[in-house]
Amino acid sequence: MAGNLNTNTLFVEQAPETIEKGNIGKNLDDDGRFKRTVLSLAWAISQLGWIAGPIVLVVFSFITYFTSTLLADCYRSPDPITGKRNYTYMDVVRANLGGRKVQLCGIAQYGNLIGVTIGYTITASISMVAVRRSNCYHKHGHQAKCNPSDYPYMIIFACIQIVLSQIPNFHKLSWLSILAAVMSFSYASIGIGLSIARVAGGAHARTTLTGRTVGVDLSGSEKVWRTFESIGNIAFAYAYSTVLVEIQDTLKSSPPENKVMKKATFVGISTTSLFYVLCGCVGYAAFGNDAPGNFLTGFGFFEPFWLIDLANVFIAIHLIGAYQVFCQPVFGFVEKWCNKRWPESKFITTERCIDVPLYGIYYLNLFRLVWRTVYVIVTAVIAMIFPFFNDVMGFLGAASFWPLTVYFPIEMHIARTKIPKFSFTWTWLKILSWTCLMVSVVAAAGSTQGLIKKIEKYKPFQTQE
């Protein structure tokens, strides 16, 4: 069965099957939309050492939690409980700050989201390749030349994403998000377990209070740059605020979204921070100053090979889901803009109803199909050209942490609550913001320096034996 559904927006406010069954009221929320339903850290610690490493992790977690609570209160305006909903981060900034800051927010958010999807393509392919390398080492010995190309696996990842990208919007991602979360905790647990086993087995790794030693492990300038880069990696681990508003928009209106989001944020950040500290510190204890960029894909471990394979499969599955979480806001933004720009275009606005066996009615939009497919292909091609894991992650974390996690939440809180200039609260909030800006700048500089070095040595599309 096929049919056409002409709408004025690519976000179908009321699905046809809901209208046909006469169940509009019970399926809609207060605003008329559907009711909401609800490792490279060891390397980073090796650069910072036992003192600064854990401190930086804990500080970033506290800052992220604090500013996330401020951002959660901005989802509705002017009142955080009864005010009008703001469906995206840009909508939140528009309602609370306005002006050029809306465009700056869009550049920061969507630039970061695009960068993250490129980074995830790189990371997923590395994990897929690691499975093949692990089996190769197990079969031919640890000294064998096992260096398959990443490119076929990037293509495989892109093909999977082309299919999953046809999921209409954020509200349909709950099952994929749950799967990604389970995979994340699974591979982190395997990594922690293997590190503990390595330490318990008597492995002697050289660790220091200040990380890698100048004159022994690296030069003074390298120490500075890698310290900055490691801070960027840790910042990327807390890249949460980028999609916080879009996630909050999937919650039901009762109980109040801001209260639910604050509780979820506390549980989420507390749990992930615990895993981050364990992964970083236990991994550093296991490998010391020679910790690889990712100890599951950098072959800090060779055996048991089947467990290494399983962990890397978990990483790949996690990133398949995470890619969708970060690209859906980009899809929604572009489709909404195009719909407003060309409202009469049938190519953009027409939804074709297709009866898919074992699935039900699927709404096919040709523009959505073409544009999302092109997006996935372009990000995959860029990932092939710049496959530098630690440096890419560090740069993305540094570039996005200050504006999206710190600056906008603080500025909107000050504007929304009308905090007087130069008052005590205003002053310490500004100090926090400017301090985080300086940290982001030095972290971005470190990651950029690392990228430049690798780009100078790297020849794209060179055959790997």
Side-chain angles (χ1 to χ4, degrees), residues 4 58 74 171 305 307 346 395 423:
N4 288 339
V58 172
C74 296
H171 298 252
F305 81 99
L307 190 58
K346 291 184 178 180
F395 180 79
S423 65

Side-chain angles (χ1 to χ4, degrees), residues 412-439:
M412 289 189 292
H413 175 71
I414 290 174
R416 189 178 62 80
T417 57
K418 297 179 172 58
I419 298 176
K421 268 190 177 182
F422 305 113
S423 65
F424 174 77
T425 302
W426 183 91
T427 301
W428 78 259
L429 285 173
K430 288 290 187 178
I431 291 173
L432 173 62
S433 180
W434 283 103
T435 301
C436 290
L437 171 60
M438 289 186 286
V439 170

Side-chain angles (χ1 to χ4, degrees), residues 73-331:
D73 282 335
C74 296
Y75 171 65
R76 287 181 181 265
S77 59
D79 184 86
I81 296 178
T82 61
K84 178 183 176 296
R85 290 179 186 269
N86 298 296
Y87 303 115
T88 67
Y89 203 138
M90 281 185 70
D91 290 341
V92 169
V93 174
R94 183 179 292 107
N96 290 276
L97 298 176
R100 292 186 178 275
K101 291 180 180 179
V102 179
Q103 286 72 38
L104 293 176
C105 171
I107 293 171
Q109 183 189 14
Y110 294 111
N112 173 256
L113 292 173
I114 294 169
V116 168
T117 56
I118 295 170
Y120 282 176
T121 303
I122 296 169
T123 313
S125 68
I126 291 173
S127 293
M128 293 177 185
V129 167
V131 173
R132 184 173 171 185
R133 291 179 65 195
S134 174
N135 294 332
C136 176
Y137 287 134
H138 178 73
K139 182 177 181 180
H140 301 291
H142 298 171
Q143 303 305 318
K145 293 183 178 180
C146 302
N147 297 303
S149 172
D150 293 351
Y151 302 139
Y153 298 93
M154 289 186 183
I155 293 172
I156 292 172
F157 182 81
C159 290
I160 295 171
Q161 294 302 336
I162 287 173
V163 175
L164 292 177
S165 291
Q166 304 314 311
I167 296 174
N169 54 58
F170 228 126
H171 298 252
K172 306 296 183 182
L173 283 180
S174 58
W175 66 273
L176 196 58
S177 300
I178 293 171
L179 177 63
V182 171
M183 294 298 102
S184 178
F185 286 119
S186 298
Y187 71 70
S189 298
I190 291 174
I192 293 169
L194 289 171
S195 297
I196 291 174
R198 179 183 172 92
V199 174
H204 298 289
R206 183 171 60 87
T207 64
T208 61
L209 294 178
T210 56
R212 304 191 74 184
T213 306
V214 174
V216 178
D217 301 307
L218 71 180
S219 66
S221 61
E222 287 177 328
K223 173 70 174 179
V224 173
W225 288 120
R226 291 194 180 184
T227 297
F228 292 164
E229 184 179 347
S230 65
I231 293 173
N233 282 352
I234 293 174
F236 181 82
Y238 289 99
Y240 170 61
S241 299
T242 312
V243 291
L244 183 145
V245 175
E246 284 78 2
I247 292 174
Q248 190 168 343
D249 187 47
T250 67
L251 301 176
K252 297 177 181 179
S253 56
S254 180
E257 303 93 347
N258 65 328
K259 293 183 179 180
V260 174
M261 201 65 200
K262 287 178 183 179
K263 290 179 182 178
T265 298
F266 176 78
V267 173
I269 291 179
S270 299
T271 305
T272 53
S273 294
L274 175 62
F275 271 86
Y276 289 165
V277 171
L278 287 173
C279 282
C281 294
V282 176
Y284 183 44
F287 297 102
N289 292 341
D290 296 321
N294 182 321
F295 57 71
L296 288 175
T297 60
F299 286 88
F301 300 106
F302 288 93
E303 301 293 342
F305 81 99
W306 61 269
L307 190 58
I308 307 300
D309 288 353
L310 186 62
N312 280 299
V313 169
F314 287 162
I315 292 174
I317 295 174
H318 162 70
L319 292 172
I320 286 171
Y323 183 103
Q324 286 301 310
V325 171
F326 281 86
C327 72
Q328 283 290 336
V330 179
F331 293 160

Side-chain angles (χ1 to χ4, degrees), residues 229 232-233 236 390-400 443-445 447-448 451:
E229 184 179 347
N233 282 352
F236 181 82
N390 276 337
D391 306 283
V392 171
M393 298 298 102
F395 180 79
L396 292 175
S400 65
S447 297
T448 302
L451 271 172

